[in-house]
Amino acid sequence: ADLARGRSPFRFPTQPMSSYLELLPVPPAKSINTGIEPCPTSLIQRKYGLPVDDLGAECAPVDQATADWRKRFMTANVGPLKVTGHKCAVSLLHTTLSVVKTEKPKLYAALGSAGMLCMRHVRGIPGLPSNHCFGLAIDFTVEGKLDRRGDDMVYSGMLELYSIFKRFGWYWGAEFRTEDAMHFEVGSAVVRKWINDGVFA
């Protein structure tokens, strides 16, 4: 019936999961990131250049970033995590996680991070900057575990986290061609607003 009305049959879990590590099939693409586009890395590169001259497969140290980009990066505690990233993204992450703490305190306490700022190219695509390169994405762990990339399954904890992150314009990597459910990046509309408002730089 939902499909006949043009709505997705997918629903977020309404009951607490027995474990945030329960594996669930990745939701249908049309049911996630609705109205949210990926981070516009090509626009950022055109306007501001790359943080480092040569992007490798491994993360470059922050002190290798250009002076302009170092000014955009900050390190801060954002609740259960200490992160380094773009100052606007770090602020948004803190705001988003404060809602997670209020609405899903057990999930909040189970969260960790595999990193935010990572100045490297996209896996397997030399020359193409990752959104982590600009400090605009974060990879989460839940209960100390990484959600396995590319298996088209997601931890229930990542699914519950997404239900809040989408409200703040974060794009979820579960929709990538190669599913990456640990990955959340600031969506295009938010980044473009920061640029237009003059706060990105």
Side-chain angles (χ1 to χ4, degrees), residues 24-27 148-154 174 176-179:
L24 302 170
V26 65
R148 183 178 176 183
R149 180 174 177 265
D151 64 356
D152 292 331
M153 302 291 287
V154 301
F176 288 162
R177 181 175 298 179
T178 300
E179 167 269 318

Side-chain angles (χ1 to χ4, degrees), residues 93-165:
L93 181 61
H94 184 269
T95 299
T96 308
L97 286 173
S98 69
V99 176
V100 177
K101 182 179 182 180
T102 299
E103 297 187 10
K104 299 180 182 289
K106 291 182 180 179
L107 175 60
Y108 177 86
L111 291 176
S113 173
M116 190 171 185
L117 178 65
C118 181
M119 293 180 291
R120 60 166 172 78
H121 60 65
V122 173
R123 292 186 184 96
I125 312 179
L128 181 63
S130 163
N131 31 47
H132 286 282
C133 178
F134 305 108
L136 295 168
I138 183 168
D139 291 337
F140 282 104
T141 63
V142 61
E143 297 183 7
K145 303 290 185 181
L146 280 173
D147 194 303
R148 183 178 176 183
R149 180 174 177 265
D151 64 356
D152 292 331
M153 302 291 287
V154 301
Y155 286 148
S156 63
M158 292 295 97
L159 188 57
E160 291 196 34
L161 190 64
Y162 166 69
S163 71
I164 293 177
F165 267 61

Side-chain angles (χ1 to χ4, degrees), residues 64-117:
Q64 290 186 10
T66 66
D68 283 345
W69 274 101
R70 285 200 303 272
K71 293 175 184 177
R72 298 182 185 117
F73 297 144
M74 67 177 293
T75 299
N77 289 309
V78 289
L81 314 171
K82 184 177 182 179
V83 297
T84 299
H86 191 285
K87 58 186 179 182
C88 294
V90 171
S91 178
L92 181 64
L93 181 61
H94 184 269
T95 299
T96 308
L97 286 173
S98 69
V99 176
V100 177
K101 182 179 182 180
T102 299
E103 297 187 10
K104 299 180 182 289
K106 291 182 180 179
L107 175 60
Y108 177 86
L111 291 176
S113 173
M116 190 171 185
L117 178 65

Side-chain angles (χ1 to χ4, degrees), residues 10-66:
F10 174 73
R11 299 288 184 270
F12 290 114
T14 56
Q15 299 298 321
M17 296 292 181
S18 59
S19 169
Y20 291 124
L21 300 180
E22 180 181 357
L23 282 172
L24 302 170
V26 65
K30 291 184 179 179
S31 71
I32 54 178
N33 294 320
T34 50
I36 302 175
E37 299 295 328
C39 179
T41 51
S42 59
L43 171 64
I44 295 168
Q45 183 176 355
R46 286 197 306 272
K47 289 184 70 68
Y48 305 108
L50 293 173
V52 290
D53 293 332
D54 296 307
L55 292 175
E58 304 299 326
C59 300
V62 175
D63 62 8
Q64 290 186 10
T66 66

